[in-house]
Amino acid sequence: MCSMFHIALADRQHENDPHFRNFRRQLFHTTLHYILQPLRAGMETPEVVKCADGHFRRIVWSLGPYIADYPEQVLLSGVVQGWCPRYVSDAILPVVCCNAHRSCRCTAPPYDLDGEGYVRRSHVHTRALLDTFDAKALWDDYGIVSHIVVSLFPLSPLSRCLHKRLTC
Amino acid sequence: MLNRQPFTVGFPRADMHALLAPDILHQVIKGTFKDHLVTWVEEYLIRVHGKAGAAVIMADIDRRFVHISTFSPSDYLSIYPLYRIAAVPQFPGLRRFPQGRGFKQWTGDDSKALMKVSCNHHFVCIGTITSSFGH
């Protein structure tokens, strides 16, 4: 599947602007959402597919592993730069964890990922945190980015613009 | 982000935090070696020798391959093991770096090739650094 992917670029002076960074993250996620949307039907309704062994089976498709370097992982997971995109810890220590990044703030060591004190990130967990804490607490204590800059629902000018481009 | 969460919230059985999978290229080669180790050593050299001094050392690391006519056994036995990176002779499977490490855009292959010739040198350098901390 081939698709056109918008990468938001800015002049150097705007690179560290929080509004631009927010916009870039939201553009990235919205683009991926729209690109993968046509595949969604196959994620709920089984399709009959001829497998490599020649047999036909009902297949339910799902999104698979996403491999990326740390900066892209930060963009994808919505965590604060320096935090682990897979685990939350209740202490901030600069250790090299499962993600092998020098400033990663996760304290779950590779040999004890299920130990006490480390919480595995999940959408359910993040959703609960978003409903409970304000943006500052989320950033400082949980390493979650929660700012909203633009509304990305179908009626917004930005998403109309994106939708038009992606369906050309 | 839809509802301030990753796009995977809109897909069944998809949790971005679980889908992120480590791989050798991005985490070990790029993350640990290129983004951390190489950068850390360069920053250390700048802190210890100053910007100009560090530039001289790093240029020396790169230089020895271009001016092959000036290569001598004494270069190879230099007291600074870090200098030996570019003086690596030809060998099957080893890539040479005639322009040093000044790539505009690193590729995975560049990182992997540099690891083969410089990894032990960086560790020796780190060994030198850590041993000097005790003094």
Side-chain angles (χ1 to χ4, degrees):
Chain A
M1 184 175 75
C2 236
S3 43
M4 183 171 71
F5 207 106
H6 289 265
I7 306 218
L9 298 170
D11 297 331
R12 193 149 286 202
Q13 63 188 104
H14 296 125
E15 260 178 15
N16 286 324
D17 182 85
H19 291 291
F20 173 73
R21 287 208 307 258
N22 265 338
F23 169 71
R24 183 176 55 194
R25 184 174 52 251
Q26 292 180 314
L27 178 68
F28 186 78
H29 281 269
T30 311
T31 308
L32 280 171
H33 174 85
Y34 278 109
I35 287 172
L36 295 170
Q37 201 58 30
L39 303 175
R40 207 180 181 294
M43 296 183 190
E44 281 162 339
T45 311
E47 293 176 359
V48 176
V49 173
K50 187 176 180 183
C51 298
D53 59 359
H55 291 280
F56 290 88
R57 294 185 179 87
R58 285 189 193 85
I59 301 283
V60 174
W61 302 98
S62 285
L63 294 180
Y66 198 124
I67 62 169
D69 59 4
Y70 182 70
E72 191 173 344
Q73 289 184 346
V74 167
L75 193 63
L76 282 163
S77 58
V79 297
V80 176
Q81 168 81 24
W83 285 74
C84 184
R86 291 174 62 88
Y87 290 83
V88 186
S89 66
D90 50 13
I92 298 175
L93 294 171
V95 290
V96 176
C97 76
C98 50
N99 231 31
H101 187 265
R102 62 174 164 167
S103 62
C104 182
R105 301 231 175 109
C106 159
T107 60
Y111 55 84
D112 190 28
L113 291 173
D114 294 315
E116 276 188 49
Y118 333 117
V119 177
R120 201 168 197 166
R121 290 193 192 270
S122 67
H123 290 332
V124 172
H125 182 247
T126 305
R127 182 78 252 166
L129 293 174
L130 287 170
D131 291 340
T132 311
F133 299 103
D134 63 4
K136 188 178 186 313
L138 287 168
W139 183 289
D140 293 337
D141 300 334
Y142 294 95
I144 291 171
V145 179
S146 63
H147 308 301
I148 301 177
V149 176
V150 295
S151 165
L152 295 176
F153 288 96
L155 292 176
S156 82
L158 174 66
S159 65
R160 272 208 299 270
C161 168
L162 281 170
H163 191 67
K164 189 177 169 200
R165 278 172 171 258
L166 288 162
T167 53
C168 281
Chain B
M1 284 160 66
L2 305 170
N3 292 325
R4 300 178 290 167
Q5 286 196 272
F7 74 92
T8 44
V9 297
F11 294 85
R13 300 175 303 280
D15 187 323
M16 182 49 77
H17 305 294
L19 291 180
L20 288 175
D23 67 295
I24 292 176
L25 179 70
H26 290 95
Q27 268 64 60
V28 177
I29 294 173
K30 184 178 186 283
T32 309
F33 178 72
K34 173 180 166 282
D35 290 345
H36 175 59
L37 205 58
V38 172
T39 311
W40 190 93
V41 169
E42 286 178 6
E43 286 174 7
Y44 174 81
L45 289 174
I46 291 172
R47 199 178 275 212
V48 168
H49 300 280
K51 227 172 182 173
V56 167
I57 294 172
M58 288 193 280
D60 196 57
I61 292 168
D62 297 341
R63 151 185 85 78
R64 288 164 187 260
F65 192 83
V66 178
H67 303 293
I68 202 69
S69 58
T70 63
F71 177 81
S72 75
S74 62
D75 289 348
Y76 204 72
L77 296 170
S78 164
I79 57 169
Y80 295 103
L82 199 55
Y83 290 5
R84 277 187 265 161
I85 285 176
V88 178
Q90 271 186 343
F91 190 81
L94 272 187
R95 182 178 143 183
R96 308 178 95 189
F97 289 84
Q99 304 306 324
R101 296 156 301 112
F103 305 113
K104 273 200 179 148
Q105 192 169 5
W106 285 75
T107 66
D109 280 345
D110 294 334
S111 293
K112 283 187 266 187
L114 191 63
M115 276 170 87
K116 283 183 185 172
V117 299
S118 73
C119 225
N120 63 317
H121 299 303
H122 279 94
F123 288 137
V124 170
C125 177
I126 288 164
T128 310
I129 293 166
T130 52
S131 65
S132 69
F133 281 163
H135 301 311

